[in-house]
Amino acid sequence: MRALAALSRFAGNTFAFWVLLFAVIAYYQPGLFLPLKEAIVPLLGVVMFGMGLTLKRHDFAEVARRPWRVALGAVAHFVIMPGVAWLLCELLSLPPEIAVGVILVGCCPSGTASNVMVWLARGDLALAVAIAAVTTLLAPLLTPALIWLLASAWLPVSFTGLLWSILQVVVVPIILGLVAQRLLGRRQQQAVEVLPLVSVSCIVVIIGAVVAASQARIAESGLLILAVVILHNGFGFLLGYFTGRLFGLPLAQRKALAMEVGMQNSGLGAALASAHFSPLAAVPSALFSVWHNISGSLLSTWFRRVKEEPHTD
């Protein structure tokens, strides 16, 4: 069990490498991953089940202790990322399928890897976990509503279809994870130790399947989509950080806001795009998953060196 836990920690710490590696393999050998396309939604459900298994009561105690700061992070996330996505689509006149994919990933809740990046950045981890939990719980209503509001100009959007999908792949698995947590008792910790390995394995297969299904379109439009993803993610980090600064938050909490705003649950984006739109619409989510782990790691490394500015009278 110790060896498996050590392997799981290694997989979690090198997540960005595995995502990038499998994305490249899927691009050059799409036949290996095409049969896995139907597994995208169930695999995301496994990841969300793991999230439910790790949620603790004190994660939500943070909401009661500092409600306005958690609310600020959640509001900033669901305003900044969808807004930046819509603006980029308008300014760059993106093709409909790509535009919907960019908006879709912008409307997703905070990414599961963001908490790790906040910890590495020496940010306020308790605040980050609370923001991630709240945005995930709000996603069943806000994500389909925002996609319908912002993306309907490009392609038809079914609010009820998106809502039902999110209930299936987010809410139900999280509830099952919470139930399993109670049933397992002390053994829950053993399950949690191997979760990074399970989550990484599921996400790299999801990304591989999305890349394989869209290989020809990525060859045609991949650089454009990657440029949009980099801008989207970068503005998320920047505006999240300066939102915290505008409201007078200390440095550790500004770091948390930057990560929680700029990093998305791109696995959910890929699953929703594949189920409701097209393989091409899932590409922004796939590339976002690769890029935000790289950029988040770089930003967290820089954040570790940033010190709180001394107050001057």
Side-chain angles (χ1 to χ4, degrees), residues 225-245:
I225 300 173
L226 180 60
V228 173
V229 163
I230 291 172
L231 288 171
H232 192 189
N233 175 234
F235 277 116
F237 285 148
L238 188 68
L239 294 176
Y241 181 86
F242 280 102
T243 296
R245 188 162 189 165

Side-chain angles (χ1 to χ4, degrees), residues 15-25 204 207 290 294:
F15 180 46
F17 168 77
W18 297 113
V19 169
L20 181 59
L21 175 64
F22 277 78
V24 171
I25 293 172
V204 297
I207 300 307
V290 176
I294 296 170

